[in-house]
Amino acid sequence: MLNIGSDSLTKTIVVTSGKGGVGKTTTSASVATGLALKGFKTVVIDFDVGLRNLDLIMGCERRVVYDLVNLVNQESSLHQTLIKDKRVENLYILPASQTRDKDALTIEGIARVMHKLKKSQFDYIVCDSPAGIEKGAKMALYFADEAIITTNPEVSSVRDSDRILGILQSESKRAKMNEEPVKEHLLITRYNPGRVREGQMLSVDDIVDLLAIPLLGIIPESSSVLDSSNAGKPVILVPESEAGQAYSDAIDRLMGEDRPHRFMETRKKGLLARLFG
């Protein structure tokens, strides 16, 4: 169990991928919420400067006064910039700026922010990375202790995720300091067993074989993800949805618990469904 309040035990988790539109922000919101529900003091940071979306999914867009760039430039304090979630105890949001570009972020400035968060007794720092491999994405992964590689079951998405793995292994702070490597986890999103069976998507085994990192979870394709995002609510807070259950399972595995992987097969239809479609 973590010793809450110990600076050295704060873990930084980056949620990343090479491709856009694979569900990184949805994942960041649910992972941070899931960790806070476990009792850990958690902050989720939006690194997508200029295109922020995390505050929308977290339902706090109207409460943004200061942002990450203000904090990096020492134009606001940590207390002024952090937004406390109204639904989940121990959960905080650090939004991105909509009016600046990613060049406003510097390693030195982000290092100061990370130090302040650790001194504020956060157990987990979750970094929501922008897509691609440009400065914002590299900044998000630089300080990572662990990485959740988020990919769709498509060849282009998996290929881009493989490229991100190479960057993690060469350009993270741990790599540059010759420390223990970043711990990598694979999260497959928008998985549709029916389309896999028809050859339209890669299977779980295909993706695991290609990326060769441990499987953290499989998030099924579900309308509840879009519905909850539009409502400003992380889908992990919708326990009746399969996607919400899958994220909860992933959090348990992140904590070292043994959970079977669900939602890998199409659900069998009942008699009425077969008769009436």
Side-chain angles (χ1 to χ4, degrees):
M1 186 70 177
L2 285 175
N3 179 12
I4 293 177
S6 175
D7 183 301
S8 63
L9 290 182
T10 302
K11 283 190 178 179
T12 302
I13 300 175
V14 65
V15 178
T16 184
S17 76
K19 196 175 189 300
V22 301
K24 285 186 299 297
T25 301
T26 296
T27 296
S28 297
S30 283
V31 166
T33 301
L35 290 169
L37 288 170
K38 292 281 188 184
F40 297 104
K41 187 177 181 183
T42 305
V43 59
V44 55
I45 306 176
D46 189 349
F47 274 85
D48 203 356
V49 175
L51 293 170
R52 77 177 189 218
N53 286 310
L54 180 67
D55 55 312
L56 293 171
I57 291 180
M58 298 300 294
C60 64
E61 69 277 9
R62 296 186 180 182
R63 299 168 60 200
V64 177
V65 178
Y66 295 102
D67 55 50
L68 177 60
V69 173
N70 294 133
L71 190 56
V72 165
N73 291 340
Q74 303 182 76
E75 299 162 350
S76 62
S77 68
L78 185 64
H79 177 74
Q80 288 174 311
T81 314
L82 287 178
I83 300 172
K84 192 177 189 305
D85 191 83
K86 291 183 175 181
R87 291 164 299 209
V88 180
E89 190 70 22
N90 297 317
L91 180 58
Y92 297 78
I93 301 95
L94 182 48
S97 171
Q98 279 188 306
T99 58
R100 309 287 282 272
D101 61 38
K102 295 173 179 63
D103 289 334
L105 301 181
T106 63
I107 288 290
E108 295 76 20
I110 296 297
R112 279 197 304 271
V113 170
M114 293 295 185
H115 181 69
K116 288 177 181 178
L117 291 170
K118 291 178 180 181
K119 287 295 184 184
S120 296
Q121 302 182 349
F122 278 94
D123 300 306
Y124 283 97
I125 301 169
V126 178
C127 302
D128 179 23
S129 172
I133 57 171
E134 39 65 63
K135 184 176 181 180
K138 290 182 179 179
M139 201 76 67
L141 65 79
Y142 182 77
F143 294 95
D145 299 310
E146 302 190 26
I148 297 176
I149 312 300
T150 310
T151 185
N152 290 161
E154 301 165 0
V155 172
S156 61
S157 181
V158 174
R159 181 188 61 188
D160 289 348
S161 292
D162 193 39
R163 192 172 181 190
I164 285 290
L165 286 171
I167 293 172
L168 271 169
Q169 292 158 8
S170 62
E171 297 192 31
S172 67
K173 182 182 178 183
R174 283 178 170 268
K176 291 180 180 294
M177 301 293 287
N178 291 319
E179 296 176 355
E180 188 177 339
V182 175
K183 188 175 182 180
E184 299 158 344
H185 310 275
L186 173 62
L187 188 79
I188 302 171
T189 58
R190 297 179 181 169
Y191 193 75
N192 186 320
R195 293 183 65 189
V196 171
R197 192 170 57 250
E198 292 169 5
Q200 299 173 0
M201 284 183 170
L202 295 174
S203 70
V204 171
D205 289 342
D206 290 336
I207 299 167
V208 171
D209 286 345
L210 287 166
L211 296 180
I213 58 175
L215 180 61
L216 179 68
I218 303 158
I219 313 301
E221 195 169 49
S222 171
S223 61
S224 64
V225 173
L226 180 60
D227 293 342
S228 62
S229 295
N230 288 338
K233 183 178 185 179
V235 73
I236 198 170
L237 293 178
V238 187
E240 65 274 15
S241 76
E242 290 187 344
Q245 294 167 33
Y247 274 116
S248 293
D249 288 350
I251 294 297
D252 288 341
R253 294 188 198 99
L254 198 62
M255 296 291 98
E257 298 179 32
D258 187 18
R259 290 283 183 273
H261 289 285
R262 299 188 280 170
F263 315 117
M264 293 175 64
E265 304 295 336
T266 51
R267 181 180 292 177
K268 292 182 179 179
K269 291 183 177 182
L271 176 61
L272 291 177
R274 292 199 300 272
L275 288 174
F276 300 105

